[in-house]
Amino acid sequence: MNEKNREPGSINRAPAWRTALYIRLSKEDGDREESDSILNQRQLLRDFVEESGDLALAGCYVDDGWSGTSFERPGFQRMMADIRTGKVNCVAVKDLSRFGRDYIETGRYLEQIFPFLKVRFISLSDGLDSYRNPSQMDGLLVPFKNLLNDAYSRDISAKIRRVLDMKRRRGEFIGAFAAFGYRKDPADGRRLLPDPAAAGIVREIFRRYLAGMSKAAIAQALNKEGIPSPSAYRQLSGQSPPSEAAPALWSPRSVSAILQNPVYTGVIAQGKSRAVSYKIHKQVRLPKEEWILVEAAHPPIVSQEIFQQAARLQACRTRAAPENGQLYLFAGLLRCADCRKAMHRQRAKGYIYYQCRTYKEASKSACSKHSLRADRLEGAVLAALQMLAARFCQPQAILSALSRRSPSTGFSAGSASGWQEQERSRLRRYLQTLYEDWKDGDLSKEEYRRMKEEYSGRLEQLDRLAQRLQAAEEEAHRPAVPPLLEGFRQTGTLTGLTRELLLALIEEIEVCEGQRIILHLKIRDPFLPNGKENAPRRLSSAPAEER
């Protein structure tokens, strides 16, 4: 009788059972990892097959690092494919937990699928053999053990999740790969450090975006310059294995991902997704309010101000000029003062105009036109910013404004001046008394000189202290000059508008009917009186046609 026609029960003849050794190990196995190691499982099962007399090794199928709660494992699926083609008709495992930890699915394979396919199942540690002792498979022991394995997987999954959440809240990085621009600290893989080369690319992306380039234009420029994309950089730097596929290129989406990632401000954001359950490993995206955020977890690559500017710009509806990929000068900044909709840009009769989008696209009865020519808008904004720059950059005007303010509370130059004057009067009296005591012979010449130097020195210290306090008082109230206005000190004027200048100084621009504009600023007017720090930061222009 050939092997194909031999009855499985003829165990005293040549080996009839084509046996698959199935081996699995994952992190959920905890402290049992050493005893259940791949090497130990393989050796144990090989020895069993060699000593059995009725088994022949058909193959070894391994799933290393795969959870037992799912049967979508590559090694297991490969074994099932060989079972269906007839290459395998017996499966041997070290114990039931190696086969699977899902109570329902494990039972379905052992009670339905394997009997239907005439597959013999052997579990060494549990003493199970569906061919030699079929009654064991129908008893309560197998379902009970499968239930315990399922419960163990649920408990260990909950423990792992708690440990990972605790690490996230401590600001420890637990991802497989650092974000582009960073690398794992060689001394502590839970901490991120800037990668100098990649960090420079990140800064350049933010700079170009705030300077007016669209995301598509930035991606095209990076590809043209031969700068590797994040995935390509990981391969080149050895962080991930090399791939034979063509290296990935920059895309608007990859640029957008960098512009939106708070990691570049030193914030670590983790826990963005979570598995549906310990059995269903599909990841679902969590809302932002459920993310675990830790600030100052690592050195920043860009400042919080730059990141927020980019975020505000992305929240706006913007268009880039098709000829150069640059965002239009006022893209995302213009709003109708009445309906609050963005302004629509169009060309007519050789000029660029802005008008209310509601009037243009929705209903002419819902809002008025609010039409304004682009060149007049630019002139009005430039004039308003020149006025603002003059306020910031004229020290005498600022000091004059400060002098009109009421004294501030707390210890300051003003509040300290009374004490200082009292101390000066006291020291002067001491000096006069010293002179009289020396003349009267109550002090020696040496004592007079020593005490005079001491009191005179204290008077000089008081004078220096008064000067420092006065300077500190002025500095505390002096408005910081925005960096982009520093050049105004030398030139005395702003010669033109740039996208970078507008984004740094302006929150939005309201266009009113009658060609009047209102600038909502990101900086406070230096001449606001005390008590009005929360007043609107606005500049209102005269009608643009009058300029």
Side-chain angles (χ1 to χ4, degrees):
M1 181 184 298
N2 60 36
E3 183 175 329
K4 182 176 180 181
N5 297 323
R6 185 183 299 117
E7 290 295 328
S10 305
I11 61 175
N12 294 324
R13 300 183 181 181
W17 298 99
R18 299 174 295 280
T19 306
L21 310 183
Y22 181 70
I23 299 166
R24 186 190 65 80
L25 184 68
S26 74
K27 292 181 179 180
E28 69 187 12
D29 299 310
D31 295 335
R32 300 177 57 191
E33 193 167 326
E34 179 63 28
S35 62
D36 285 339
S37 70
I38 300 296
L39 183 62
N40 286 342
Q41 290 184 62
R42 181 184 283 112
Q43 190 61 48
L44 183 68
L45 293 172
R46 280 184 178 275
D47 292 345
F48 174 78
V49 169
E50 291 176 0
E51 297 171 2
S52 65
D54 64 339
L55 304 178
L57 181 61
C60 188
Y61 304 84
V62 179
D63 283 315
D64 191 1
W66 289 83
S67 172
T69 57
S70 170
F71 283 83
E72 297 300 320
R73 314 170 214 142
F76 185 86
Q77 291 300 319
R78 188 165 55 88
M79 180 184 72
M80 291 302 301
D82 288 344
I83 287 175
R84 292 186 178 94
T85 59
K87 181 180 177 180
V88 171
N89 64 357
C90 177
V91 174
V93 297
K94 178 181 177 292
D95 57 52
L96 283 170
S97 68
R98 302 303 93 211
F99 185 73
R101 290 187 180 275
D102 185 310
Y103 169 71
I104 295 176
E105 280 298 291
T106 301
R108 190 168 72 91
Y109 273 96
L110 298 184
E111 297 171 14
Q112 300 177 30
I113 297 177
F114 281 1
F116 177 78
L117 296 174
K118 295 185 172 65
V119 174
R120 178 180 177 181
F121 179 78
I122 300 172
S123 176
L124 270 64
S125 300
D126 300 300
L128 297 177
D129 188 329
S130 63
Y131 175 73
R132 291 184 179 277
N133 297 294
S135 60
Q136 288 180 311
M137 307 300 294
D138 299 328
L140 293 176
L141 182 61
V142 173
F144 182 70
K145 285 189 174 184
N146 288 335
L147 189 61
L148 289 179
N149 289 331
D150 191 305
Y152 175 84
S153 182
R154 180 182 64 248
D155 292 343
I156 201 67
S157 176
K159 289 178 181 178
I160 291 174
R161 178 176 292 182
R162 286 195 296 270
V163 169
L164 292 178
D165 281 349
M166 182 176 64
K167 290 183 176 181
R168 292 185 183 108
R169 291 189 177 92
R170 288 202 300 254
E172 297 179 12
F173 179 72
I174 61 173
F177 300 107
F180 181 73
Y182 286 97
R183 59 182 176 85
K184 291 184 178 180
D185 186 345
D188 184 359
R190 300 167 298 180
R191 185 171 181 268
L192 297 180
L193 294 176
D195 182 334
I201 299 172
V202 170
R203 293 190 190 96
E204 183 64 13
I205 288 174
F206 276 90
R207 189 197 67 76
R208 293 184 183 188
Y209 186 67
L210 294 182
M213 289 184 70
S214 67
K215 298 172 188 175
I218 293 174
Q220 291 171 3
L222 293 175
N223 290 328
K224 185 177 181 180
E225 294 164 13
I227 295 175
S229 67
S231 58
Y233 186 83
R234 279 199 298 268
Q235 295 180 23
L236 292 173
S237 60
Q239 299 179 51
S240 62
S243 172
E244 296 181 359
L249 297 176
W250 287 95
S251 66
R253 179 175 294 182
S254 57
V255 171
S256 180
I258 288 177
L259 294 172
Q260 295 176 8
N261 195 340
V263 71
Y264 299 114
T265 64
V267 175
I268 190 167
Q270 299 185 108
K272 298 180 181 180
S273 60
R274 179 158 290 181
V276 176
S277 73
Y278 74 101
K279 290 184 179 181
I280 303 174
H281 299 285
K282 179 182 178 181
Q283 296 288 317
V284 293
R285 191 77 171 177
L286 297 178
K288 285 190 175 182
E289 55 268 21
E290 295 184 24
W291 294 3
I292 299 176
L293 302 176
V294 179
E295 296 184 358
H298 49 262
I301 290 178
V302 298
S303 68
Q304 187 69 34
E305 180 183 2
I306 289 176
F307 183 79
Q308 289 175 354
Q309 287 179 13
R312 283 192 291 265
L313 183 57
Q314 290 182 91
C316 301
R317 181 176 177 179
T318 58
R319 283 195 305 132
E323 63 273 10
N324 57 17
Q326 295 282 337
L327 291 176
Y328 293 118
L329 184 63
F330 294 104
L333 294 175
L334 298 179
R335 295 273 176 190
C336 173
D338 294 325
C339 71
R340 301 292 302 155
K341 287 289 186 180
M343 300 293 287
H344 175 77
R345 184 181 187 275
Q346 66 178 25
R347 183 182 294 273
K349 298 180 180 179
Y351 291 99
I352 301 297
Y353 286 87
Y354 289 98
Q355 60 179 264
C356 173
R357 189 174 294 277
T358 299
Y359 178 88
K360 174 70 177 178
E361 298 178 354
S363 170
K364 289 180 171 54
S365 62
C367 196
S368 57
K369 199 171 185 179
H370 291 74
S371 180
L372 179 60
R373 241 169 60 179
D375 58 339
R376 291 174 177 167
L377 169 66
E378 187 171 344
V381 173
L382 178 59
L385 292 185
Q386 285 174 336
M387 179 178 65
L388 178 69
R391 292 188 180 190
F392 269 102
C393 300
Q394 293 179 4
Q396 294 304 320
I398 292 175
L399 291 176
S400 176
L402 289 174
S403 67
R404 296 193 297 269
R405 293 183 176 181
S406 58
S408 59
T409 59
F411 186 80
S412 64
S415 61
S417 60
W419 167 80
Q420 293 170 14
E421 192 55 43
Q422 291 177 3
E423 185 67 9
R424 284 193 188 91
S425 298
R426 187 176 67 86
L427 291 172
R428 290 191 185 101
R429 288 197 306 270
Y430 286 170
L431 286 171
Q432 182 63 32
T433 303
L434 281 176
Y435 180 76
E436 292 173 355
D437 289 344
W438 172 55
K439 284 296 185 181
D440 293 341
D442 295 333
L443 289 176
S444 67
K445 187 175 182 178
E446 184 61 33
E447 289 174 329
Y448 169 71
R449 286 180 178 176
R450 179 175 55 79
M451 297 180 73
K452 180 183 178 181
E453 289 177 0
E454 180 181 345
Y455 291 145
S456 297
R458 291 179 63 182
L459 272 173
E460 292 176 1
Q461 288 178 349
L462 278 175
D463 291 339
R464 289 194 296 268
L465 176 61
Q467 293 173 1
R468 288 198 300 269
L469 286 174
Q470 182 64 32
E473 180 81 359
E474 293 177 0
E475 186 65 27
H477 291 86
R478 188 189 304 273
V481 179
L484 287 172
L485 295 181
E486 283 288 354
F488 187 85
R489 292 186 187 276
Q490 288 75 33
T491 64
T493 185
L494 293 175
T495 57
L497 298 179
T498 64
R499 180 78 178 164
E500 186 179 13
L501 179 70
L502 294 180
L503 292 177
L505 301 180
I506 298 176
E507 191 75 45
E508 70 174 28
I509 302 172
E510 285 186 308
V511 179
C512 307
E513 193 62 70
Q515 302 193 47
R516 188 171 64 89
I517 62 171
I518 299 174
L519 275 64
H520 292 259
L521 305 174
K522 294 180 180 178
I523 54 179
R524 191 172 67 85
D525 191 317
F527 295 116
L528 279 178
N530 284 345
K532 293 189 177 181
E533 282 78 3
N534 295 324
R537 305 174 181 183
R538 309 195 316 174
L539 284 178
S540 179
S541 80
E545 288 182 329
E546 299 177 3
R547 298 189 182 280

